[in-house]
């Protein structure tokens, strides 16, 4: 089994070796990105998203819905994306293979796979499908997603583990920079934080599994928060 997993990981890595890295952030401004400019900006070479306080309740953010900064340089299918993030309060993530819905009061609304992270201790590293099937793998899980019977909700089967959730969380630095890596190949997706794999998902729910779509960054409704991103490296499989 270990040999099989090693060979599978090697094959995935080799599929990206010959591909060229694509620049998606110039480090200076939001050229190539689209979102609410009152919430998103570039500060000190980082993409920075904020949730302003509600004047009626300053302890609470003003947002009424999750909103996103959308990369408009194309779509992604099979790819590897590495980036660094830091977050103060709240929840965020990177959408991939996603689609844009009707925008809301505070900007773009996106549906699709999300590489989740947060300031708390529960959700960093999970695979979540925004405005879709919900949590597809908790941190540390290896899962297979099956179509639900008669069109009902998809079934998430936990088939193994990639690590112990508390140990992964312990390696994540609070309010400091962490490195996130997403690998998507066919119906198989993997997340890594600071070099530790957090989930391994095979999505066999063919009718609902996203195969290609947008990249986007999230600001989550909730508390006043700050999230920052930098050092993006996108390599698409040939």
């Amino acid at each position: 089994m270990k040999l099989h997993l090693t060979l599978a990981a090697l094959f995935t890595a080799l599929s990206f070796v010959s591909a060229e890295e694509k620049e998606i952030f110039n480090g200076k401004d939001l050229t190539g990105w689209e979102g609410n400019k009152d919430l998103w900006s570039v500060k000190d070479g980082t993409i920075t998203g904020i949730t302003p306080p509600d004047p009626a309740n300053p302890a609470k953010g003003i947002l009424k819905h999750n909103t996103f900064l959308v990369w408009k340089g194309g779509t992604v299918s099979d790819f590897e994306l590495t980036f660094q993030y830091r977050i103060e309060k709240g929840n965020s993530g990177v959408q991939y293979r996603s689609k844009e819905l009707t925008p809301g009061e505070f900007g773009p609304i996106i549906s699709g796979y999300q590489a989740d992270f947060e300031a708390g201790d529960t959700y960093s590293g999970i695979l979540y499908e925004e405005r879709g099937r919900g949590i597809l793998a908790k941190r540390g899980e290896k899962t297979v997603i099956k179509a639900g019977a008669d069109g009902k909700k998809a079934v998430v089967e936990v088939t193994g583990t990639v690590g112990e959730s508390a140990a992964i969380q312990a390696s994540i630095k609070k309010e400091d920079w962490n490195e996130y890596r997403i690998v998507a190949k066919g119906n198989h997706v993997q997340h890594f934080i600071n070099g530790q794999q957090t989930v391994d998902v095979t999505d066999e729910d063919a009718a609902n599994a996203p195969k290609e779509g947008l990249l986007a960054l999230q600001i989550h409704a909730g508390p006043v928060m700050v999230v920052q991103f930098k050092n993006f490296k996108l390599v698409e499989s040939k």
Side-chain angles (χ1 to χ4, degrees):
M1 178 61 73
K2 288 184 178 179
L3 177 61
H4 173 74
L5 290 174
T6 301
L7 290 175
L10 178 61
F11 176 79
T12 298
L14 288 174
S15 68
F16 294 100
V17 167
S18 62
E20 292 185 4
E21 183 180 319
K22 180 178 291 188
E23 180 182 281
I24 64 173
F25 172 49
N26 63 20
K28 300 175 183 178
D29 56 39
L30 293 178
T31 299
W33 294 83
E34 184 176 281
N36 184 333
K37 299 299 176 62
D38 291 331
L39 306 179
W40 294 100
S41 63
V42 174
K43 296 181 179 179
D44 300 323
T46 74
I47 293 178
T48 300
I50 62 168
T51 300
D54 185 340
N57 182 4
K60 185 178 179 181
I62 198 171
L63 298 187
K64 303 298 190 296
H65 62 83
N66 299 345
T67 190
F68 300 82
L69 183 70
V70 185
W71 180 57
K72 306 303 285 190
T75 58
V76 294
S77 178
D78 290 353
F79 70 96
E80 180 171 330
L81 175 67
T82 304
F83 61 94
Q84 291 178 295
Y85 76 89
R86 68 179 294 276
I87 185 169
E88 299 174 17
K89 299 182 180 179
N91 178 280
S92 183
V94 170
Q95 296 287 142
Y96 60 98
R97 292 184 177 177
S98 293
K99 59 186 177 182
E100 197 162 0
L101 306 179
T102 302
E105 177 184 356
F106 295 94
I109 294 176
I110 298 291
S111 171
Y113 283 153
Q114 182 186 119
D116 207 327
F117 63 84
E118 60 161 342
D121 298 329
T122 304
Y123 299 110
S124 294
I126 74 166
L127 175 62
Y128 180 73
E129 189 174 66
E130 179 88 1
R131 293 178 177 259
R133 294 167 294 170
I135 295 176
L136 300 181
K138 297 177 183 178
R139 188 173 55 219
E141 289 183 342
K142 183 176 183 179
T143 65
V144 176
I145 315 304
K146 304 280 191 179
D150 299 323
K152 294 182 180 179
K153 185 176 180 180
V155 177
V156 178
E157 296 183 0
V158 179
T159 59
T161 181
V162 297
E164 203 274 317
S165 180
I168 298 170
Q169 177 62 43
S171 73
I172 299 173
K173 292 170 279 189
K174 297 279 190 177
E175 296 191 0
D176 202 349
W177 291 101
N178 297 279
E179 183 178 87
Y180 212 125
R181 183 162 67 99
I182 305 164
V183 179
K185 182 74 173 176
N187 69 340
H188 183 213
V189 301
Q190 300 168 296
H191 297 171
F192 303 79
I193 298 180
N194 295 335
Q196 295 194 50
Q197 188 168 357
T198 64
V199 295
D200 188 296
V201 179
T202 302
D203 196 342
E204 296 181 354
D205 181 12
N208 297 302
K211 301 169 182 64
E212 183 178 3
L214 299 171
L215 284 174
L217 315 179
Q218 184 193 61
I219 299 174
H220 203 288
V224 174
M225 62 169 283
V226 177
V227 62
Q228 295 181 299
F229 303 83
K230 66 179 181 179
N231 295 337
F232 291 91
K233 296 180 181 178
L234 173 65
V235 179
E236 297 179 278
S237 178
K238 293 184 176 180

